[in-house]
Amino acid sequence: MRNKIVILLLMLVCVVAASAQKTKANGRKLFQEERYEEAKPIFKYLLSRTPKSAEYNYWYAACCYETADSVQGLEKMLEFAESRKVYNAPYYLGRIKADAKQYPQALECFERFFDVAKDEKRIQIADSIVAHIKELFRMMKSTEQVCVIDSVIVDMETFLSAYGCGRDAGNIYMAAEYFGNNAYEDVLTMTERGTDIYFSNICTQDSVPYKKIYHASKNGNEWSAAAPIKGFDTGGNDCYPFMSADGATFYFASDGEGSIGGYDLYVTRYDSESGRFLRPTNMGMPFNSEANDYMMVVNEIANLGWFATDRNQPEGSVCVYVFIPNATRRTYNYETLGYDTMLSLSQLGCIADTQDDADAIRKARQQLTMLMFENINDNKKGEFLFVLDDMHDYTSLSDFKSSEAREKFVQWQKLSAQFESDSLNLENMRMKYSQSSAAAKQSMKNDILTLEQRMESEQLRLDDMIKEVRAVEYESLNK
């Protein structure tokens, strides 16, 4: 009887083993066919039965990665698999490190993978990823030292509401609204003099539709026929154009050649002799990321710039940054700051870390407030222009639906008028100070500092007040 039981147990073990081998074979077949979603539960089951199997650790972790399943411990599974000579394990370790923007560690993982790699398809993919990582790493180490003074998160559909750029930057419209035709996408920009417009439109190249930037100029009261601008071809979609007031510096966004992911910001210059634009240059970090970065606008008179990005934002939202443009490009010192600090600066992880010149920041914020005041009062058709959002422009106090918002706006106008008066007074005092003797400067110094401090306080109050106006009016509109 005892012998029969032993024989039955041995038979059962053999059946289970055979079943496990069959299950393993099915899982491996699905994995090789890249049917990762179907293979994943098979390897999860096998791993639960044999947690020390290097193959099962690798296959399950790889399936989780390929299906974007954020299971804890994937790196440990792959590290264990690599320690047991599973040759594709460092491939997925490299991808995980790259996704986490741990570029040096990612490159090390791929080097180990290349040393033992046998899978030709993954070798080709790894080659492409390594080239991309090296470009990201190179760009990160040469991040431009830019002072960001403000940021606002807005709905992507109405992102232009965050661009209070002032009349010196020209005008920016949603192209569909300007033309009254929904066939046009993105934005249209008009130069400050109103003589040139730039916008993107679909054109076909080798039977493939692309967005290209078109230009039309005004002669008298008539516009020329719009035509694609000349001088560069990125091989991708080009849009979100902006021509600076100098008539030569041109910004746009493209997902073509040289992009590190989605739309990147580029800059070029117009060569008046040849009548063409020069080869564009990728603006690098922190302006660009692996997400979509676009709509660069620079007001050269106010010395302020704006750009939009959907990096680190939920779907449907974008962040608009306001920064102080550099006269010449300055970069951070990677060797001094180290990897983690440079990574944060390259991604604008904390805009306070970019602010190292208190005087420049104070002046820039004063300019920003003045532009907001200019935007509200610079309209010939009404008493003022207050842009609530892309759908609501107020030109009279009667436009307000909320009496509370109306009263707050009137208070804001009064304080804005005082701020404008103080700003002019401060500029006059600074000019007089620069032309005075040392003794006279000493007596004027305290008055200037006192006025600067008062204006800084006024500016913060103005920012808070206009936010309250919008919040109260939005609430009234949504009732």
Side-chain angles (χ1 to χ4, degrees), residues 12-284:
L12 181 61
V13 169
C14 291
V15 169
V16 171
S19 177
Q21 287 298 317
K22 185 177 180 180
T23 303
K24 174 183 174 181
N26 288 339
R28 185 170 186 174
K29 181 175 182 295
L30 291 170
F31 186 88
Q32 290 173 340
E33 293 173 355
E34 299 182 5
R35 295 160 63 182
Y36 303 111
E37 197 68 63
E38 298 172 65
K40 183 168 59 177
I42 294 175
F43 292 122
K44 182 179 182 180
Y45 165 74
L46 291 172
L47 183 62
S48 69
R49 295 184 61 86
T50 317
K52 294 299 183 182
S53 167
E55 287 185 319
Y56 296 163
N57 273 273
Y58 163 72
W59 277 325
Y60 179 59
C63 286
C64 288
Y65 180 84
E66 293 287 1
T67 58
D69 190 353
S70 55
V71 173
Q72 290 185 348
L74 290 189
E75 287 189 52
K76 289 185 178 180
M77 293 181 198
L78 292 167
E79 288 168 356
F80 172 70
E82 183 181 5
S83 71
R84 299 298 178 89
K85 310 301 181 185
V86 178
Y87 63 85
N88 274 342
Y91 167 84
Y92 283 102
L93 276 172
R95 297 197 66 170
I96 290 172
K97 299 289 187 184
D99 292 344
K101 303 188 186 303
Q102 298 173 0
Y103 303 136
Q105 297 94 319
L107 292 172
E108 291 174 3
C109 290
F110 282 115
E111 283 301 316
R112 297 199 304 271
F113 166 71
F114 289 134
D115 288 341
V116 295
K118 301 176 184 178
D119 188 327
E120 288 298 325
K121 183 174 182 179
R122 283 191 172 82
I123 290 174
Q124 291 181 3
I125 296 173
D127 277 333
S128 176
I129 294 173
V130 166
H132 184 59
I133 292 172
K134 287 181 177 179
E135 178 61 13
L136 290 172
F137 196 18
R138 180 199 66 78
M139 199 175 282
M140 188 199 84
K141 290 192 290 187
S142 59
T143 296
E144 184 172 355
Q145 189 173 347
V146 175
C147 178
V148 178
I149 65 166
D150 197 13
S151 66
V152 59
I153 298 173
V154 293
D155 186 83
M156 183 174 63
E157 297 298 323
T158 59
F159 82 102
L160 287 183
S161 62
Y163 280 71
C165 310
R167 67 177 76 96
D168 293 316
N171 293 291
I172 314 171
Y173 308 93
M174 295 306 296
E177 293 178 11
Y178 181 85
F179 288 116
N181 187 337
N182 289 330
Y184 291 92
E185 299 178 356
D186 308 320
V187 302
L188 175 147
T189 57
M190 179 183 291
T191 55
E192 183 266 337
R193 293 184 179 181
T195 55
D196 295 86
I197 58 173
Y198 298 88
F199 60 96
S200 63
N201 196 14
I202 301 293
C203 67
T204 302
Q205 183 175 324
D206 298 329
S207 301
V208 179
Y210 289 99
K211 290 181 183 178
K212 295 300 176 187
I213 297 173
Y214 282 66
H215 166 248
S217 57
K218 196 173 188 179
N219 186 8
N221 293 321
E222 299 200 2
W223 288 97
S224 66
I229 61 176
K230 300 177 181 179
F232 61 87
D233 182 8
T234 66
N237 295 291
D238 305 333
C239 45
Y240 299 101
F242 177 76
M243 174 64 82
S244 290
D246 63 8
T249 308
F250 188 75
Y251 302 95
F252 68 99
S254 175
D255 61 2
E257 181 184 358
S259 166
I260 58 172
Y263 282 110
D264 273 12
L265 286 161
Y266 289 78
V267 61
T268 180
R269 288 188 67 81
Y270 181 72
D271 181 10
S272 57
E273 292 186 6
S274 65
R276 302 172 69 88
F277 286 89
L278 303 177
R279 183 178 177 84
T281 301
N282 187 300
M283 293 189 68

